[in-house]
Amino acid sequence: MDGKSLLRQYIVDPTEVPWKAGQTEGITFQCQVYLSGADGGPEAIRFRFDPCPRVYAHMHLTSQFQLLIGGAMDFPKSTMKLRPLAIHYADHKLPYGPFSTGEGHDMLVLHPRQGGLVSMADRAARRQINLVGRQLVGMDRESEWFEVLGMAGMRCKFLIPPGSGPQAVILDAPPNCTIAVPAANFGRYEVVVNGGASFDGKSVAVPGLRYVVGDEQPTPIRSGEKGATLILLSFDADAVQGGIGDDELSRAAAEAIERAI
Amino acid sequence: MANESGAEQSKNPFRVVMFADFICPYCYIGQERMEQLARDYDVRPVWRPHWLHPETPPEGAPFHQNVDRERARATAQWLKEMAPEKAARMRFPDKMQCSFFAFQAVEFAQDRGDALPFTSAVYDALWVEGKDIARIATLQEAAQKAGLDAEEMGRALRERRYMERTMNAVAAARKAGVVSTPTYILGRIAIKGWHYYEVFQTVMQRQGMLPRQQSGSEKG
């Protein structure tokens, strides 16, 4: 044993995942469970919230990326009026919200493991808030493109730049291009947001994805005939914190998400 | 220190510091946390200025019509969620107010013991009564409510007795790296921004601080 963690990967084509209706505290939505996390692996759910003026303040037990691909999500802070493509990142057990969702809302909620759902109305849960937790946001429209050196026609922009811990990078690749990606020690979602791409020979539609984690380098991504715009969302060490355990809060959080979806 | 007995706590109370600015609505609702801690624990509350808008002249400055109105609307919505009772009584000021005189008045109050009731009265003057806290008369009314000598405070402010000390306090907050309001320091642990009271209770507990009632009963 050399202590290396083997590569694990999950590939999801949204055309293969059924939609279903859900609700939490009267907030209604449609969702696709891309990855349930039931095997101890990642949890990825696509949500389309009906327009809602107040999605209650809550937290999850693991790190989380929310990738907004349609509609609007407005947090009270003036710097957090999210429009697609936008990313919202929160560390494990970091409360956020309330927020409102607008017409055409469409987002991916991405966890490295099952994250559960904890309403901040739960007073006991408030005692477990992560006081040093980070909340980061980034929007496509506020970032500049950079050429990718050595990759003709490829460009990228940082929504959450390197150095912040977790990262969010948009890659715009020309048609039929091979994109090498590094190992993802703490886990990385690679989401196709435009065009088409294939992972390990499997083509996925927009917004399909691959999740990779491990010390080994995953296979390169291949852009489709019309090129591909991808967003790469990398977790950092916070991804191994928290999670669903045997405690009361974990049980309640797991039940809450189960009830909702 | 962390595991003091109740008696030792009384002699050497645990310091809880709030870095804040009166003009910040989050600080207004955050003041409640200081009041709750002072009520429930044997602590010494200390209010320190973190000056958000030093560019505001004494007479105040107009808000940027659309941007600030939208921001106020969003903030009000958030406050309604987090502190419904306080939010119901709040009225947003029609201009950006200058906090510097109020900061000087806090120094005056601090010299006379517990400044907590005075800071609460200043918040109420701005956020509930809609008064201008850059006016000495407003600060004197707050002083009166807090049981301070309003006449003496008026003189101290007019004579600028606390100006230099206040400037030093503002500089000290910056030097300490305070960037968000409110920021609380509970013993050795910082809490940045508004938080639920349960968070404060947990932080106190983590440092061996028990609520008065509980520490009393544990002593028997």
Side-chain angles (χ1 to χ4, degrees):
Chain A
M1 294 289 286
D2 61 1
K4 275 192 167 185
S5 72
L6 296 175
L7 176 74
R8 281 183 293 144
Q9 72 171 8
Y10 298 77
I11 299 167
V12 182
D13 179 355
T15 60
E16 297 169 358
V17 185
W19 282 97
K20 57 181 183 174
Q23 73 86 29
T24 172
E25 312 272 325
I27 300 155
T28 53
F29 55 81
Q30 299 288 313
C31 71
Q32 284 179 297
V33 180
Y34 279 20
L35 298 166
S36 71
D39 64 346
E43 178 183 61
I45 306 173
R46 182 181 183 184
F47 285 99
R48 285 180 175 164
F49 280 92
D50 294 326
C52 177
R54 181 191 159 275
V55 176
Y56 58 88
H58 62 274
M59 66 181 184
H60 303 278
L61 303 184
T62 59
S63 326
Q64 172 182 274
F65 281 107
Q66 292 187 119
L67 172 62
L68 185 71
I69 52 178
M73 246 174 111
D74 289 351
F75 290 80
K77 265 192 179 175
S78 56
T79 50
M80 286 171 65
K81 307 292 175 204
L82 306 187
R83 299 295 178 271
L85 285 173
I87 197 78
H88 174 268
Y89 170 85
D91 270 347
H92 79 287
K93 292 186 181 171
L94 184 84
Y96 60 91
F99 58 85
S100 63
T101 56
E103 200 66 49
H105 175 264
D106 200 348
M107 76 172 170
L108 292 169
V109 176
L110 307 166
H111 297 133
R113 285 166 293 136
Q114 285 184 327
L117 172 67
V118 181
S119 163
M120 297 327 298
D122 177 347
R123 288 177 173 268
R126 294 175 185 176
R127 290 183 176 272
Q128 297 203 30
I129 287 173
N130 175 3
L131 269 182
V132 292
R134 299 158 298 178
Q135 184 172 206
L136 306 164
V137 291
M139 269 201 283
D140 181 17
R141 62 165 78 159
E142 291 171 356
S143 311
E144 297 288 325
W145 285 109
F146 295 94
E147 296 291 319
V148 178
L149 289 175
M151 300 288 282
M154 196 182 297
R155 53 188 191 153
C156 72
K157 62 164 78 174
F158 296 101
L159 268 57
I160 299 177
S164 308
Q167 274 185 46
V169 186
I170 299 182
L171 267 183
D172 196 31
N176 304 313
C177 171
T178 298
I179 307 156
V181 285
N185 310 76
F186 295 107
R188 179 177 61 236
Y189 280 97
E190 300 160 346
V191 186
V192 188
V193 289
N194 207 358
S198 59
F199 302 102
D200 243 358
K202 181 177 171 69
S203 294
V204 301
V206 173
L209 59 80
R210 172 171 75 170
Y211 178 79
V212 287
V213 63
D215 297 334
E216 293 176 69
Q217 191 175 1
T219 54
I221 305 167
R222 182 90 186 149
S223 63
E225 284 175 7
K226 293 177 181 170
T229 307
L230 299 138
I231 183 159
L232 309 185
L233 306 167
S234 307
F235 291 104
D236 72 353
D238 189 76
V240 294
Q241 303 293 319
I244 306 277
D246 286 333
D247 57 298
E248 202 176 315
L249 179 69
S250 292
R251 278 194 293 277
E255 282 165 19
I257 196 77
E258 204 161 309
R259 270 198 310 276
I261 61 171
Chain B
M1 296 306 290
N3 289 310
E4 291 167 327
S5 70
E8 279 167 347
Q9 281 177 26
S10 300
K11 270 190 279 173
N12 183 21
F14 189 87
R15 241 164 74 104
V16 294
V17 184
M18 178 185 186
F19 288 93
D21 190 335
F22 293 111
I23 63 163
C24 164
Y26 302 100
C27 295
Y28 167 61
I29 65 162
Q31 175 78 357
E32 194 175 12
R33 297 289 170 263
M34 293 294 271
E35 293 164 355
Q36 287 168 313
L37 288 169
R39 185 192 63 213
D40 296 347
Y41 295 88
D42 192 7
V43 294
R44 185 160 83 85
V46 179
W47 196 97
R48 296 284 72 203
H50 174 53
W51 201 1
L52 289 174
H53 288 284
E55 76 284 3
T56 308
E59 65 276 16
F63 284 126
H64 302 290
Q65 282 300 310
N66 295 331
V67 180
D68 292 333
R69 198 168 290 170
E70 168 57 23
R71 188 176 294 181
R73 193 196 60 76
T75 304
Q77 205 177 329
W78 186 86
L79 294 169
K80 208 168 138 188
E81 172 87 13
M82 298 305 173
E85 284 173 27
K86 287 226 165 202
R89 297 165 61 213
M90 277 176 89
R91 44 167 122 161
F92 275 75
D94 53 8
K95 65 175 180 182
M96 179 81 77
Q97 295 193 15
C98 174
S99 327
F100 194 62
F101 299 100
F103 292 165
Q104 293 176 62
V106 172
E107 298 300 316
F108 173 92
Q110 211 107 272
D111 274 357
R112 280 144 191 87
D114 180 8
L116 185 64
F118 175 70
T119 50
S120 296
V122 175
Y123 278 115
D124 280 347
L126 195 163
W127 291 104
V128 180
E129 297 155 26
K131 291 180 177 163
D132 186 348
I133 59 161
R135 293 185 61 235
I136 290 176
T138 304
L139 298 171
Q140 284 180 299
E141 280 172 38
Q144 215 151 21
K145 282 181 192 162
L148 295 168
D149 183 338
E151 287 303 314
E152 179 59 17
M153 176 184 278
R155 273 194 296 279
L157 291 176
R158 277 186 282 271
E159 289 166 13
R160 301 181 174 188
R161 272 186 238 160
Y162 289 91
M163 199 163 94
E164 196 180 335
R165 204 168 110 180
T166 305
M167 289 302 286
N168 290 339
V170 167
R174 290 216 182 98
K175 206 172 161 194
V178 174
V179 287
S180 54
T181 53
T183 292
Y184 307 85
I185 312 286
L186 275 61
R188 300 180 305 274
I189 300 177
I191 299 177
K192 291 174 187 170
W194 181 90
H195 264 290
Y196 302 100
Y197 188 49
E198 287 82 359
V199 171
F200 289 74
Q201 290 172 311
T202 307
V203 168
M204 294 297 277
Q205 195 179 3
R206 214 182 285 169
Q207 296 178 85
M209 293 296 294
L210 297 172
R212 274 204 191 93
Q213 211 180 350
Q214 210 175 324
S215 62
S217 65
E218 282 191 6
K219 271 189 286 174

